[in-house]
Amino acid sequence: MTDPLGVSKMITTATDLHGRRPAKGMRKAGIAGLLALLGLMFMGTVQAENVLEDLTYTAQPGGKVDITMRFAEAVVAPQAFTTESPPRIALDLADTRNAITQRRIEVGAGATAGISTVEAAGRTRVVVDLFRPASYETRINGKELILSIAANISGSTAAATSAATRNPTKQVANETVALSNVDFRRGKTGEGRIVVSFSGPGAAADLKREGDKIVLDILNVKLPPDQAKRLDVLDFATPVQYIETRSRGTGVRIDISAQGPFEQLAYQTGNEYVVEISPKREDEKLSKNAEPVFNGSRVTFNFQDIPTRSVLQLIADVSDLNIVVADSVQGNVTLRLINVPWDQALHIVLQAKGLDQRKQGNVIWVAPQAEIATREQALADARLQMEDKVELVSDYIPISYGNAKDIAALLTKDTQGSTTTGGQQGGQQQQRGFLSQRGTVSFDDRTNTLLVSDTPQKIIEIRQLIAVLDRPVQQVLIESRIVIATDTFARELGVKFGISGGYEDHNGNVVSTAGTAVGTDRMSNLALNNRFSGGRGLPVFNPATPATSPTGGGIAVPSLNDRLNVNLPAATPAGSFGLAILGADYLLDLELSAAQTEGRGEVVSSPRVVTANQKEAVIKQGQEVAYVTFQNAGGGGAGTATVQFKEVVLELKVTPTITADDRVVLNLGVKKDAVNRYIDNPGGGQVPIIDKREINTSVLVDNGQTVVLGGVYEVEKRDDLTKVPFLGDVPILGNLFKKTGRTDTKAELLIFVTPRILSESLK
C-alpha cells in the first residue's frame, strides 16, 4: 500500500541509519520527534486549507461595485496594490486555494470592467480590471472579504482596509494618515523612482501629467513641516529634474518636473506610493517619416548579374534569420556593397526589385509589393466579413451621471464620408458612428439604461467609451460680493439782513426805507395818515386801536419779509444766530445760519450659487416695481390705465469651466439695481427711476482665489455761491450779502468673485 506521507520511509531511514538498529531510548526519542514532525506537517496542511469558494459582485447606486469573496475559513487581511496603466486592483491571498472554475467574470458597471482569479505557488490573486483608476476599500466579515470600488476618478488609490472585530458591525476607526517621507532612487535602466511613504494605509492619490510636469495630489493626508521641501535630483542622470512637496488644502501636492520624452508608471503597495519615470524607448520616438536605423552585422557583396533569390539566400545565411521568398520573385541584380549592415543590404535589394517584406518573429517573408498589398487587403476583407457573421449579443448598461437618451444619440450619430458608389467618385455613405453596421442601441428613460445589441467586441468598446463619458461632473461654488460705498459732505452758510425805518424833516419830507417796495409804501402811507390826523413825527402803532394815533405801543414797521434787504439763509440750517437793533426811527435785522452734513454708507450684497462644470447658473433676489401708464389719453379723457412691472433685482448669472490645471474660467454677469426716485407721469401716476449697476465679463481665476472683477469710482464736488452783485464782493462786509455752499459726494462700486471647486468625497 502506498504511504502518501512517506511515513514508512522516514521510519526506515531513522531505524537503519549506519546499518545498525538504534538503542531503545533512541528509538523512543526518534518516534517522539517523528510524531512531532508529523503534527507540524498536519498543522501546516490545515493552515493552508483556506479556499476561495465563491466570488460575486453587486452594482450599487452611483456606480459603486461591491465584490464579495467567500472562503472556507476565516480570512485574514490581504496584500493589496494598484497599477495606473492599465488601471487595476490586485489582492494577494496567502495560503489560499482557488476553487472558482470561472477564470474571469465580466462586470462592466461603474469603474469596474471585470474580475480575474488565478492560483500559483500556494496563494491566490484576485485582479480587478478597471475602466479608469478609482478609489476602493476592503473589509472583512468573518469568512467574507468585501472589496468596494467607488465610481469616482481619483488616480491610484490605496486600500483603506478596516479589520472587523468579533462584532461584524463594528470596525476599526481610521486614523489620520501623514506623509512620512519622500525618497528618490535611480533604477538600473536610468529611470527615476519616487517613493512616497505614509504613516498608515488609506491615502488616496491622484496622478496626472501636465506637459513636462507630473502632479501627484494626495487627499486628506497631513504634511509634517520637515517634509515640505524641494529635492534637486538633476545629478542622478534621470528624466526627473526636481521634486517639490507642499501642502494644498487638506492634502499634499507633489510636483515632479521631468525633461525630455519620458513615460510614467505608478503603483501602490502597502504604505508606499511609487512613481517611476523612465526615458521613452528609442523606437517610440521615431516618426513614420524618419530614416530607418540599421544595426545588423556588416557584410561585403560584389556580384555581377546574380539572381535575386541567391542574394536573399546569402543575407539569410549572414543574419541567421529564416527568409521565405515568394515564387513570383524573379530576375537578377548587380550590386557592390562593402562593409554595410546586412539589414541595410536587404533594404536596398528590396527597393531595387520592387519587393517588400513582412516579419513575424525570426521569419521574414519577401514578395512583390503588389502581392503583399493584395494579400493584406484580402485579410482585411475577410475580417470584415467575419464581423458580419459574428453572433450579436445584448447588453444593458446603466447610466449613473449622464442621460441615456443623449448618450444613445451620441453612439448613433452618423458621419459622412466620401466613397465610390456605382463606379462614380464623390458618393456619400453614412457610417454607423460607434456601432457596427448591424448594431442597434435604445434607451429606457425610467431606469436611465442603455439597451445595446452588437458584436461582443463592439460591446466592450462601447462599455469603455461609456466609462469615460459617464463620470460625475465637477461642481463649482461661486461666491460674489457687490459692495456699494458712498461718502457725502455738505456745508452751507447763509444770511438774512435788512434795514427799515422812516424820517420826516421840518419841511415835511418823509424818507422811508425797507426791504421791499411794499414795505416802504406802507410806511409812507402811515406817515401821510399821521400828518392828516394832526400827529407829529413818525406814526406809531397801537395794538388796541388799529387806527394810527399820535401815541401808542411802538413804531409801525412792515412784516419781517418786507424788511429784509438780503434773504439768503441756509436751506436746512442746523443752527442760526439773530440780531436786531431798534433805534428811534430805524430797525436793523440780521440773522446768520449755517448747516453741515456728513454721511457714509455701505451696501454689501453676497449672492452664492453652486453649479456643475460648464452649466449656467442664475440666482436673483429683489422685487418688481409697479407703475401705471395710460394709453389713448386726450380729448378730455384719462385714457386706459395699465399697470406694468419693472424688475429691480440683484442677479448673478455665471457659467464656470474647470481647466486641466484646476483653475476656473468664469463667464458671468452681475447686476445690482435700485430705485432712485419716482417722477410724475404726464398721464397720471408716477414711474420709477432705477439706478443700474451691471458687469458682464470673462475671467480666469485660480481655485479659491478672490478676484476684483471691476468697479466704478465716482467723485462729485460742487461749490455754490449766491450773492448780491457788487455788494457781495466787498471785503468782509460782503459776507452779509451772499450765501455759500459746498457739496462733496463719493460713490464706489466693487464686485468680488471667488470660485471654489467642490472636490469629490473619497470613501
Side-chain angles (χ1 to χ4, degrees):
M1 183 177 66
T2 304
D3 185 359
L5 297 178
V7 176
S8 300
K9 182 179 180 181
M10 287 188 288
I11 293 175
T12 302
T13 303
T15 303
D16 298 335
L17 187 64
H18 299 304
R20 61 181 181 274
R21 188 177 183 85
K24 184 177 180 181
M26 295 178 62
R27 289 200 304 270
K28 292 182 178 179
I31 293 173
L34 179 60
L35 293 176
L37 178 61
L38 291 176
L40 292 175
M41 292 177 59
F42 179 74
M43 291 176 62
T45 304
V46 171
Q47 290 178 356
E49 282 302 318
N50 204 0
V51 180
L52 176 60
E53 296 179 339
D54 190 18
L55 189 150
T56 59
Y57 74 90
T58 304
Q60 303 289 347
K64 181 180 178 182
V65 176
D66 287 342
I67 301 173
T68 303
M69 292 160 271
R70 297 182 179 87
F71 297 83
E73 303 293 338
V75 65
V76 297
Q79 292 290 332
F81 63 91
T82 62
T83 60
E84 285 281 352
S85 180
R88 287 176 180 169
I89 301 171
L91 303 180
D92 278 349
L93 304 165
D95 300 326
T96 302
R97 292 192 298 108
N98 180 23
I100 299 176
T101 57
Q102 187 176 359
R103 181 174 181 135
R104 179 173 174 84
I105 300 175
E106 297 293 340
V107 179
T112 309
I115 311 167
S116 302
T117 57
V118 62
E119 178 187 351
R123 66 175 182 172
T124 297
R125 172 171 289 186
V126 179
V127 180
V128 181
D129 295 325
L130 305 175
F131 292 118
R132 57 183 181 272
S135 61
Y136 67 92
E137 69 175 4
T138 60
R139 61 183 184 273
I140 298 173
N141 186 7
K143 297 181 181 181
E144 292 184 347
L145 173 62
I146 302 173
L147 172 64
S148 297
I149 303 174
N152 62 295
I153 302 170
S154 62
S156 179
T157 310
T161 305
S162 55
T165 61
R166 292 182 180 179
N167 182 3
T169 61
K170 185 178 179 181
Q171 297 183 356
V172 179
N174 292 331
E175 298 180 358
T176 303
V177 180
L179 188 148
S180 56
N181 189 34
V182 178
D183 192 14
F184 179 80
R185 303 168 190 170
R186 186 183 188 276
K188 294 181 180 180
T189 59
E191 71 272 13
R193 183 178 293 113
I194 298 96
V195 182
V196 184
S197 303
F198 305 101
S199 61
D206 181 10
L207 185 72
K208 56 188 175 183
R209 180 170 177 177
E210 299 175 357
D212 289 340
K213 186 169 70 172
I214 298 173
V215 178
L216 176 61
D217 284 326
I218 310 169
L219 307 180
N220 300 324
V221 171
K222 288 183 59 178
L223 179 65
D226 59 338
Q227 294 298 326
K229 56 189 177 182
R230 176 187 174 109
L231 301 178
D232 190 347
V233 295
L234 182 62
D235 296 336
F236 285 86
T238 69
V240 184
Q241 304 295 299
Y242 67 83
I243 307 164
E244 185 175 3
T245 307
R246 67 178 188 274
S247 296
R248 186 174 186 267
T250 59
V252 178
R253 166 166 284 193
I254 300 178
D255 291 330
I256 305 170
S257 177
Q259 187 177 23
F262 63 86
E263 53 189 7
Q264 67 194 45
L265 172 66
Y267 58 91
Q268 189 158 358
T269 172
N271 297 340
E272 290 185 345
Y273 189 92
V274 181
V275 181
E276 287 189 359
I277 302 174
S278 57
K280 185 170 289 187
R281 292 190 298 270
E282 191 69 24
D283 56 347
E284 295 181 359
K285 294 193 298 180
L286 295 177
S287 64
K288 294 182 179 180
N289 298 326
E291 291 292 332
V293 178
F294 305 105
N295 50 15
S297 59
R298 296 185 175 274
V299 297
T300 298
F301 291 149
N302 189 358
F303 297 106
Q304 181 73 27
D305 200 21
I306 185 174
T308 303
R309 305 174 68 89
S310 300
V311 176
L312 296 176
Q313 180 63 42
L314 291 174
I315 295 176
D317 295 339
V318 174
S319 63
D320 291 333
L321 291 177
N322 300 317
I323 297 181
V324 179
V325 183
D327 294 339
S328 55
V329 177
Q330 301 294 333
N332 298 341
V333 63
T334 298
L335 69 162
R336 182 176 183 273
L337 302 174
I338 299 176
N339 198 25
V340 297
W342 67 263
D343 47 357
Q344 185 179 7
L346 175 62
H347 181 72
I348 292 174
V349 172
L350 296 180
Q351 279 189 330
K353 301 301 293 181
L355 305 176
D356 204 351
Q357 62 174 333
R358 292 295 181 267
K359 186 176 181 181
Q360 293 182 353
N362 65 340
V363 178
I364 296 177
W365 175 48
V366 177
Q369 293 177 353
E371 183 177 338
I372 291 179
T374 302
R375 178 179 178 275
E376 291 180 345
Q377 182 63 41
L379 291 176
D381 294 341
R383 275 197 306 270
L384 293 176
Q385 293 177 3
M386 287 298 298
E387 289 181 0
D388 293 339
K389 297 178 181 180
V390 173
E391 182 180 359
L392 298 181
V393 296
S394 298
D395 198 2
Y396 312 105
I397 306 175
I399 305 300
S400 301
Y401 305 103
N403 187 288
K405 180 178 180 181
D406 296 338
I407 295 180
L410 176 64
L411 294 177
T412 57
K413 185 176 181 180
D414 295 330
T415 57
Q416 299 290 334
S418 297
T419 59
T420 302
T421 305
Q424 296 180 357
Q425 295 288 338
Q428 297 292 325
Q429 181 181 8
Q430 288 188 340
Q431 304 298 322
R432 289 285 299 160
F434 293 95
L435 302 176
S436 67
Q437 291 293 332
R438 296 186 297 154
T440 59
V441 61
S442 58
F443 59 90
D444 178 41
D445 276 333
R446 185 178 61 85
T447 59
N448 202 32
T449 302
L450 284 179
L451 314 175
V452 184
S453 176
D454 212 322
T455 62
Q457 181 61 33
K458 278 293 182 181
I459 292 291
I460 295 175
E461 294 176 1
I462 291 172
R463 277 194 170 275
Q464 293 175 346
L465 175 63
I466 292 177
V468 175
L469 299 178
D470 187 28
R471 60 178 61 181
V473 180
Q474 286 184 285
Q475 300 182 91
V476 183
L477 167 65
I478 297 100
E479 300 176 297
S480 64
R481 287 179 177 82
I482 305 171
V483 181
I484 303 173
T486 57
D487 188 353
T488 60
F489 174 83
R491 175 185 294 168
E492 279 187 300
L493 296 176
V495 62
K496 289 182 179 180
F497 174 69
I499 300 177
S500 58
Y503 175 74
E504 182 177 358
D505 58 12
H506 297 286
N507 298 323
N509 297 318
V510 177
V511 179
S512 60
T513 180
T516 63
V518 175
T520 57
D521 181 64
R522 180 182 177 189
M523 294 192 68
S524 299
N525 289 333
L526 290 174
L528 292 174
N529 291 334
N530 186 38
R531 179 181 300 177
F532 295 151
S533 62
R536 297 179 59 86
L538 287 174
V540 295
F541 178 75
N542 186 348
T545 58
T548 302
S549 61
T551 60
I555 300 174
V557 294
S559 63
L560 177 61
N561 289 333
D562 291 333
R563 298 199 308 265
L564 296 178
N565 302 106
V566 178
N567 189 9
L568 298 174
T572 54
S576 60
F577 173 76
L579 175 65
I581 300 177
L582 178 61
D585 50 5
Y586 67 92
L587 176 61
L588 174 65
D589 297 296
L590 176 64
E591 179 184 296
L592 300 179
S593 59
Q596 179 171 317
T597 59
E598 296 181 9
R600 291 180 178 85
E602 187 175 279
V603 178
V604 179
S605 305
S606 181
R608 301 181 182 183
V609 65
V610 177
T611 183
N613 185 28
Q614 296 184 341
K615 292 293 184 180
E616 184 183 66
V618 179
I619 183 172
K620 64 171 63 177
Q621 178 188 12
Q623 59 184 352
E624 289 190 342
V625 178
Y627 60 95
V628 180
T629 60
F630 293 88
Q631 288 81 27
N632 302 323
T640 303
T642 303
V643 178
Q644 296 187 1
F645 294 88
K646 179 66 175 179
E647 281 190 344
V648 180
V649 296
L650 165 66
E651 182 182 62
L652 171 64
K653 184 184 297 183
V654 60
T655 303
T657 301
I658 301 175
T659 64
D661 55 352
D662 285 340
R663 294 195 287 177
V664 183
V665 177
L666 297 175
N667 292 315
L668 52 83
V670 183
K671 182 169 65 173
K672 178 69 170 69
D673 297 339
V675 177
N676 185 305
R677 66 182 187 275
Y678 288 85
I679 61 174
D680 293 332
N681 190 348
Q686 291 182 322
V687 294
I689 295 179
I690 298 174
D691 291 335
K692 298 182 67 68
R693 300 174 178 89
E694 183 175 357
I695 183 172
N696 292 281
T697 186
S698 178
V699 63
L700 176 63
V701 189
D702 290 337
N703 181 27
Q705 181 186 19
T706 300
V707 63
V708 181
L709 293 182
V712 178
Y713 185 69
E714 296 178 283
V715 177
E716 180 182 354
K717 293 186 177 182
R718 182 184 180 90
D719 291 322
D720 296 319
L721 174 62
T722 305
K723 64 180 180 178
V724 178
F726 305 113
L727 295 178
D729 297 329
V730 177
I732 301 177
L733 293 179
N735 293 324
L736 299 177
F737 300 95
K738 60 185 177 183
K739 170 187 174 182
T740 60
R742 175 186 172 188
T743 303
D744 292 341
T745 302
K746 298 178 182 178
E748 187 171 10
L749 169 66
L750 294 175
I751 300 175
F752 304 87
V753 171
T754 304
R756 303 183 190 276
I757 300 175
L758 303 182
S759 302
E760 297 181 43
S761 59
L762 298 178
K763 299 183 179 179

